[in-house]
Amino acid sequence: MASINKLIPSLASGSLELAPALANLNFDFVLWKVAAPKEFEGVGSALSTSRRDDAETGTLHTIARKLGALFEKKIPLTPALTKAYGTRASEIAQALSLDERGRKSYGVFANRAGADATSLWAAATSGTSAISIHLLACLLARIWDAPEATSLWVEIVKRRKEEVLADFDETDFAHLATLSAARQDLPRAQIAEWDNSARAWLQVADSVKKKQQIQLRLIVDNVQIPVNWKTDTYESVMEAWSNSLDQMEALVQGISQQARNGDILLALSSWHLFPDLTVVTPSTTHIRQNDPVFASGGVLTIGIQGPVVQEKGVHWSLPLAYLRHYGAPVVVGRSICSVSRSRLSLQELLQATLGSLLQAWATAGKDTLRSLRWLSSMYQVLLEGTKLGYDKSSTPTKGSAKHSWLALLSEAAHLYTISHGLERQQNDKLISLGRKHGKTFLGTPDEPVFGLLAQGKLIDIMADEEERIELLRKVGKSLVEKSCIGSSQIFIRYKHYLSDSTWVYEYATALPYNTSKKRRADGTLISVQSHHRWLYSGNNTRRFPSIWYKQRLDMLRAVPPTGDIDEDYASTGDLYRSAKTNSATALRDYERREALLTVAGESVSKREDQHIEDLFPADAGIYWPHWDGPLSYTQPTPWYRFAFGAIEDTALFAIESHERVINQTTEQKATLLYSVFEDYQINKQMVAHILESNWEVAQVDVDPHLKSLKAISTAAMMFRHFPYASVDVRILQQTLSNASWLRASSSSLDSVLPYALHASSNHRSGLVPKALEPYALSEAQAFACLAMFESGQHDIDPGQLTDVMAMSSGNSIYVSAALLADPYENTRPGDIRGFIGNLGRPGISFLVPPKAPLIKKVSIDDWLLIERNEFDGRLSDHFQDTSLHLSFTTAESPLNIRFLGGQDFEACILETLFSVYEGGSWIADLNVSNLQTSTRICRMARCVSGHPADIQPSSAITCIDSWLGLVDALEERVSLVRAHGNWQARLAASSICIALGYDTIILPNHVCWKCFDRKASAYHGHVIAIG
């Protein structure tokens, strides 16, 4: 830069004085290129050839030169920072660099795959001032949305041009490059491309420096500091940029700094440089980050008290004059706290989703650690049940249920419970994020904790009779302490099994009673308390019902006007009313348990000695006219009502009119449930049965909560294949069940697994409940889903994306699997592959092929190049010079997302050419979607008939060994394209064959020619095999 500015130096000032004849000189920035500093060489070597060419000679290079020249005199020199940043950028770029083989695996996207450092390399080859321009681009991209950052660039460029031209008019002095840049146009579309490339680079760098970024984010979330206090947009940006450059330069040189404004914190986050920190709020903490680029020891102090502000994190508020086409400047405020500017990995999203789930559970999810421990252990119970072969417990964990929201969230819960230190802090932040900002994300379930808090479920899942009694005694004690109920006013009725099919109801005290007096050593008497049981000993307990019991039943219309109560209401399962009582067996059981309970300190008497009427506890209550033996009945009523537990199994009953006192809150029930899983034996089969029964009867198509959970698992199934992809944190503020990609064709959304596709109802014995299965999406729905999570806000109607084959957003490219796979691989619609890459277009770009892609026409002059030889039985590759290329036509259309009068399109459809070339010659443009939908394509199965491997085809086959031979009109009935092992050529040939209307057979790697003869003979017209 300095060499240009010294072309005509002024002897007096050293500035460049332009004579009137030179004032209109137009500097060509395309021709200007300098050698990149050696610290940046790792960036250049990681780029694809096309990206490097664009960075050195293309649009981004021109932008970098123009901006560098325009702002050179406004920014400080930062040689130490430039070296440090070059070292860090090269480290990041090399961490994700692709070798030639890896790049080729991306087919038509090979030149677009990998980390997008195009604008960075453009800056590095345009001079040191351009590197500072790149750093500003990162600052703006970190805190502002793309349209906002573009608007800021437009404004500061305009203001700087006015400043340069005004100075020149006043003084007749200017620098040639600066003046020339001020007089040249810089279109908004190019500025948007510049911002987009910086934005993609940020995402790449964040993924490589994830640990350091998490630690910095935890610190930034706890400060409240503005970038600066200026309200003039141009002055605010210039000050933030200049201050951050100065302070970072000093830190790299080893000079400690204080963060009095937020600009330096924004720079740390944007430039991925991590000096040691001293945080003084709320107490002084020293944080060593061990970043080698700060070997000189510069320390940044954070938390010096400034003016009190309300906004969280580092924040910036500016009027944006060029955001919309019409109207006054729009005042926009943004921050880099976790809530507003973060991108989340899949695992971080699932942690935040746990927070949303716990919030939806209300008080049942109040205790984060205990709730998530339960969720993890509950799923472990289901897994153990699967290993033991329980019918019900296997279905929630097998097949597509392994990818269900239940499996995903249970795994996330487990990761939370075993996390510690910095990881636990981050997880706590994410849980809190989901609780606070994800209140509508999942919606509210009809029953929290998957319905396990419903009446009786807690008792049902407990495996041991004595543990059930123990639990209810704890409940009775905790609840009665808060009420006026005495020990004689509450008891436990429980079901005791003598065999698998015969049982009796027995009774136990819920609270201990005073049994005797015991004298202490000092002579005072103390009461001794113990429990009592009424056990069945084998005798017949049926008595003629009390007249009071009959009257109440009649009053409740529990019995018909005539008939015998013993006949009408006898229970065949209860031994009290069974004629087949094995009294000897029951007596032995009684004596055994009496001995055990006596040793344990409980007194025992016979159930048969009590006159208890308990046929209809739900309607009439239990009639127990008096308690003899250990207790004396003194209450005014002999009626007891159900209070808590499982009324048909093990439950607490309290004196009538007091039973409501024992009602438990949701939080108390959840606490009990968690304690049962922690301290008691669990009936694994019953847990699975209850959960699956709840999910089988759930209204999946209309329940917002279940739809949202299924949507999460569907998105996660896609994103788990994209290790470097991330989602915008603002997705948590959406109502997921209302997403267009769910509403568009909900009736067609069904299981991913084939065995569920033909199920007629939710009640599918042995199959996974629909409530657990991820959705199977069409291609358009899948892209709409990805766009929503990538942007955090764009809810695009899949009807606008019907022909989309690929999508680019940030640092990610998502492609229909059909474009990246051998055509023999029968990819299904909705199967999307993703990788690091960028198309160089701002916002979200959806790629569609032309309606009628062109294919090369064969002319008469090509006859010498066309050979058709008879097949010799050997498969080989004659298309080694074939390559696939990506380019764009001029056709593009913005998508209808939301109209706010903005000047930038946030998403658009691009007409894209997926072209096949041989050497440098164009052959055809492809539409590979026809491989998924055409009825003319057939993938020949591998031989299972045991035919000899060396058998040759019996029918005549003509070889096609060139592209001209394929697109030329065929004369032979059976032809073979020999492109063995070359998936790109096989893909292109298959697509061209379908486009030309030929029946096409795609061959496997190992071909049985006898099977092929049979397959080919079934066709009547021309048949082309892809070998």
Side-chain angles (χ1 to χ4, degrees), residues 294-340:
F294 293 95
S296 299
V299 177
L300 179 64
T301 301
I302 301 173
I304 303 298
Q305 187 65 44
V308 177
V309 293
Q310 298 297 320
E311 296 85 351
K312 295 289 185 181
V314 176
H315 51 91
W316 205 353
S317 180
L318 292 174
L320 305 183
Y322 295 90
L323 182 62
R324 296 178 181 172
H325 284 285
Y326 174 79
V330 180
V331 178
V332 180
R334 293 286 182 253
S335 74
I336 59 169
C337 67
S338 296
V339 174
S340 59

Side-chain angles (χ1 to χ4, degrees), residues 799-822:
Q800 300 182 78
L801 308 178
T802 51
D803 297 321
V804 170
M805 294 295 294
M807 176 187 113
S808 174
S809 176
N811 72 322
S812 298
I813 297 176
Y814 303 98
V815 184
S816 171
L819 267 172
L820 297 178
D822 187 281

Side-chain angles (χ1 to χ4, degrees), residues 353-662:
T353 303
L354 285 176
S356 178
L357 180 67
L358 295 181
Q359 191 279 332
W361 286 357
T363 54
K366 184 177 180 180
D367 187 330
T368 297
L369 181 58
R370 202 171 189 192
S371 300
L372 297 185
R373 277 178 178 165
W374 171 82
L375 179 56
S376 176
S377 63
M378 180 273 296
Y379 192 70
Q380 192 61 37
V381 164
L382 297 180
L383 290 176
E384 291 171 2
T386 301
K387 294 175 183 178
L388 295 173
Y390 297 152
D391 290 340
K392 286 289 185 181
S393 61
S394 63
T395 52
T397 59
K398 73 179 184 182
S400 63
K402 294 178 182 178
H403 307 291
S404 70
W405 55 264
L406 178 64
L408 289 168
L409 295 182
S410 298
E411 180 186 5
H414 173 69
L415 292 176
Y416 175 88
T417 61
I418 64 174
S419 64
H420 55 85
L422 181 63
E423 185 181 4
R424 173 59 68 84
Q425 290 183 48
Q426 171 71 353
N427 286 339
D428 282 333
K429 284 274 188 181
L430 292 166
I431 295 287
S432 177
L433 175 69
R435 284 185 183 275
K436 184 175 181 180
H437 297 279
K439 294 179 180 178
T440 64
F441 186 54
L442 297 179
T444 304
D446 293 334
E447 292 286 343
V449 199
F450 312 138
L452 289 178
L453 302 186
Q455 180 175 301
K457 304 302 183 186
L458 182 64
I459 298 299
D460 291 341
I461 65 175
M462 298 183 69
D464 185 74
E465 174 185 301
E466 289 300 316
E467 288 188 347
R468 293 179 177 185
I469 295 171
E470 178 188 341
L471 180 73
L472 290 187
R473 282 174 171 168
K474 287 182 178 180
V475 173
K477 181 180 179 181
S478 65
L479 295 175
V480 169
E481 286 174 350
K482 303 174 183 179
S483 67
C484 58
I485 295 180
S487 59
S488 64
Q489 297 176 313
I490 185 172
F491 60 77
I492 298 170
R493 185 184 77 157
Y494 62 95
K495 186 181 285 186
H496 173 67
Y497 281 86
L498 285 168
S499 68
D500 290 340
S501 59
T502 54
W503 49 266
V504 294
Y505 279 126
E506 296 180 340
Y507 290 78
T509 52
L511 300 173
Y513 62 93
N514 296 329
T515 58
S516 61
K517 299 288 186 178
K518 184 177 180 179
R519 191 175 298 277
R520 287 179 174 156
D522 60 3
T524 58
L525 293 176
I526 59 172
S527 297
V528 178
Q529 293 189 324
S530 65
H531 280 284
H532 189 80
R533 297 284 184 97
W534 289 266
L535 305 183
Y536 177 63
S537 63
N539 296 319
N540 197 329
T541 63
R542 281 306 298 152
R543 305 179 182 185
F544 190 81
S546 162
I547 186 64
W548 303 110
Y549 192 65
K550 280 188 171 183
Q551 286 178 353
R552 174 170 285 205
L553 292 177
D554 289 341
M555 179 180 67
L556 295 172
R557 300 186 181 277
V559 297
T562 60
D564 183 74
I565 187 172
D566 294 316
E567 296 177 359
D568 292 338
Y569 297 96
S571 169
T572 57
D574 189 339
L575 286 181
Y576 300 153
R577 292 166 281 282
S578 174
K580 297 180 180 180
T581 302
N582 189 331
S583 58
T585 301
L587 180 59
R588 286 194 300 271
D589 181 63
Y590 172 85
E591 291 173 345
R592 178 185 62 82
R593 293 189 296 141
E594 180 186 31
L596 292 173
L597 289 170
T598 301
V599 171
E602 289 197 43
S603 57
V604 176
S605 60
K606 295 181 178 180
R607 156 69 180 85
E608 298 93 310
D609 295 339
Q610 299 297 310
H611 183 184
I612 304 174
E613 300 291 351
D614 58 0
L615 283 172
F616 305 103
D619 296 320
I622 292 180
Y623 179 79
W624 195 345
H626 64 276
W627 291 10
D628 56 1
L631 302 177
S632 58
Y633 177 77
T634 58
Q635 298 301 327
T637 173
W639 295 98
Y640 296 81
R641 287 287 189 176
F642 169 75
F644 182 77
I647 192 169
E648 299 295 336
D649 194 296
T650 305
L652 284 170
F653 288 83
I655 196 75
E656 194 166 60
S657 78
H658 286 73
E659 72 276 6
R660 296 184 182 277
V661 177
I662 306 180

Side-chain angles (χ1 to χ4, degrees), residues 60 200 245 274 356 365 389 398 416 437 474 530 582 588 646 652 665 714 751 753 861 865 922 934 977:
L60 288 178
L245 290 172
F274 307 101
S356 178
K398 73 179 184 182
Y416 175 88
H437 297 279
K474 287 182 178 180
S530 65
N582 189 331
R588 286 194 300 271
L652 284 170
T665 65
T714 305
S751 173
L753 296 185
D861 296 330
L865 303 176
W922 172 83
S934 176
V977 175

